[in-house]
Amino acid sequence: MKRGLGLWLTGAVALALGMGLLVSCKDDTAKKDPGATGGKKKLVVGFSQIGAESAWRTANTDSIKAEAEKRGIELKFADAQQKQQNQIGAIRAFITQKVDVIAFSPVVETGWEQVLKEAKAAGIPVVLSDRAVKADDSLYVAFLGADFIEEGRRAGTFLAKATGGKAQIAELRGTPGSAPELDRAKGFREAIEKYPDMKIIKSQTGNFERAKGKEAMEAFLKSPEGAQITALYAHNDDMALGAIQAIEEAGKKPGKDITIVSIDGVKAAFEAMVDGKLNCTVECNPLIGAQLFDIIEKVAAKKPVEKRIVVEEGVFEQEKAKDALPTRKY
Ligand code: GZL
């Protein structure tokens, strides 16, 4: 008898809880997820992505698409193949389609004033994702991304420590005129300027692409200064991984003959550190989808948002790579 009553009570409690959870979930869903149907108009967001040039970019795209899906937001997504005119065209299309909010990751810093003025004239708020622009800041509502100057400083500080302040440095730069290329170069130079024996002797863009990083490193090594290179600073991991291949093909040991520091913190960089071929990666987190749509939903609801939201990041040296690798998400 007691067992029967106990089972009945358990069932009743579970049913009550279940109902409670269902109601609170339903309420929570209604509250947390304004994009959900619940009788409300779906939020429509136009996003212009730079391209698919690196593992970082792919992870960034996946994060944005997954978060829109999760929140029931209609995402109009355009891949610009790293061409500014394609981004400008996509933003104009979003204006024509009267989306609620436009967000984009600007491939370069300049050349956006006109199209941002058109978005403003159409009454469509703009949010910058990942990279900043040089434009009147009344033309966009908020910027979400990393402090690229600090990332460059962290890379320079690591290299100074790892080389005892003595290095003949080759630099692989990102997309010319992009915020990460300009600012990572600036921050790195700030960090090494107090070391007279740390000199950048070669510098060239690899456009954040692995293949171009390899080509540029091959050219560095074949140049008259090639034999003097003792360190490499790559503005992203993909170019560093291409350079590692070039260094090995030249018969040298990456991570030993040439100390290498790069930026992003993608999984392949951690694997290269475990293999002793990369000495440090400065994290630049691409998984900003949730933060981005928090901002976008506030903007759509005409709630105040901060103008500049900087993403938290770390620095991963070779010794930490093995332990960190299993938990890396991109
Ligand atoms: C940085 C991002 C850069 C990455 C590259 O936030 O814009 O672009 O460092 C990517 O890997 O291509």
Side-chain angles (χ1 to χ4, degrees):
M1 175 59 180
K2 268 196 177 158
R3 186 171 151 66
L5 181 60
L7 278 175
W8 183 83
L9 272 175
T10 310
V13 168
L15 182 65
L17 268 178
M19 288 298 281
L21 277 176
L22 269 180
V23 168
S24 66
C25 282
K26 193 165 173 296
D27 286 350
D28 284 356
T29 304
K31 263 188 260 142
K32 269 190 217 150
D33 184 358
T37 46
K40 278 191 171 176
K41 175 183 167 302
K42 240 184 197 246
L43 192 57
V44 181
V45 174
F47 190 93
S48 168
Q49 180 60 294
I50 288 175
E53 73 281 3
S54 62
W56 188 100
R57 184 66 53 200
T58 307
N60 179 244
T61 289
D62 294 348
S63 170
I64 289 163
K65 287 183 173 177
E67 193 63 27
E69 174 83 22
K70 182 177 157 195
R71 296 184 187 216
I73 289 169
E74 182 182 337
L75 181 67
K76 294 178 183 295
F77 185 90
D79 176 327
Q81 275 97 39
Q82 287 190 293
K83 291 184 177 62
Q84 181 172 31
Q85 69 268 24
N86 290 349
Q87 289 201 283
I88 291 171
I91 292 168
R92 287 193 167 124
F94 297 148
I95 293 169
T96 306
Q97 292 155 12
K98 296 184 172 40
V99 299
D100 298 307
V101 180
I102 291 170
F104 75 114
S105 178
V107 61
V108 291
E109 282 194 335
T110 56
W112 304 101
E113 292 275 342
Q114 180 51 41
V115 74
L116 291 176
K117 281 178 183 162
E118 292 166 23
K120 186 165 187 174
I124 301 175
V126 175
V127 175
L128 301 180
S129 170
D130 166 33
R131 296 186 184 176
V133 297
K134 288 246 183 303
D136 176 347
D137 72 4
S138 69
L139 295 174
Y140 58 89
V141 180
F143 161 80
L144 168 68
D147 180 344
F148 298 133
I149 297 177
E150 178 55 26
E151 291 173 347
R153 286 195 201 101
R154 289 175 180 178
T157 301
F158 166 81
L159 201 57
K161 183 181 73 173
T163 61
K166 288 188 178 57
Q168 300 296 298
I169 305 161
E171 178 187 36
L172 290 172
R173 299 175 70 122
T175 303
S178 66
E181 184 256 347
L182 295 166
D183 289 354
R184 286 173 181 170
K186 182 168 186 270
F188 182 81
R189 282 159 177 76
E190 268 180 25
I192 68 167
E193 69 182 347
K194 51 180 164 287
Y195 299 94
D197 295 331
M198 290 186 81
K199 283 193 174 40
I200 298 172
I201 58 171
K202 302 297 287 182
S203 180
Q204 187 182 321
T205 185
N207 209 33
F208 287 130
E209 297 172 43
R210 183 169 183 152
K212 290 187 177 151
K214 182 171 188 274
E215 282 164 33
M217 192 69 208
E218 284 165 349
F220 288 163
L221 292 167
K222 286 183 186 136
S223 73
E225 304 84 354
Q228 299 160 34
I229 296 170
T230 62
L232 169 66
Y233 168 46
H235 288 192
N236 82 331
D237 293 336
D238 286 58
M239 294 190 291
L241 294 165
I244 285 168
Q245 274 179 278
I247 293 165
E248 289 180 314
E249 286 168 10
K252 294 196 168 194
K253 290 192 180 62
K256 293 174 183 57
D257 300 332
I258 295 178
T259 304
I260 305 175
V261 58
S262 61
I263 299 177
D264 275 352
V266 298
K267 208 166 272 180
F270 280 77
E271 288 159 352
M273 286 196 285
V274 169
D275 294 343
K277 297 179 181 178
L278 177 68
N279 301 88
C280 173
T281 182
V282 174
E283 187 181 35
C284 177
N285 189 347
L287 308 182
I288 57 175
Q291 279 181 285
L292 178 65
F293 283 105
D294 283 347
I295 294 164
I296 288 172
E297 286 179 342
K298 280 183 185 159
V299 168
K302 306 214 184 319
K303 290 179 182 163
V305 293
E306 285 173 66
K307 195 74 178 175
R308 180 177 166 80
I309 303 103
V310 176
V311 181
E312 288 302 311
E313 304 171 328
V315 178
F316 292 89
E317 299 184 18
Q318 214 174 75
E319 300 67 40
K320 287 196 271 185
K322 199 172 173 68
D323 295 343
L325 183 54
T327 57
R328 297 301 298 169
K329 296 192 183 77
Y330 65 93

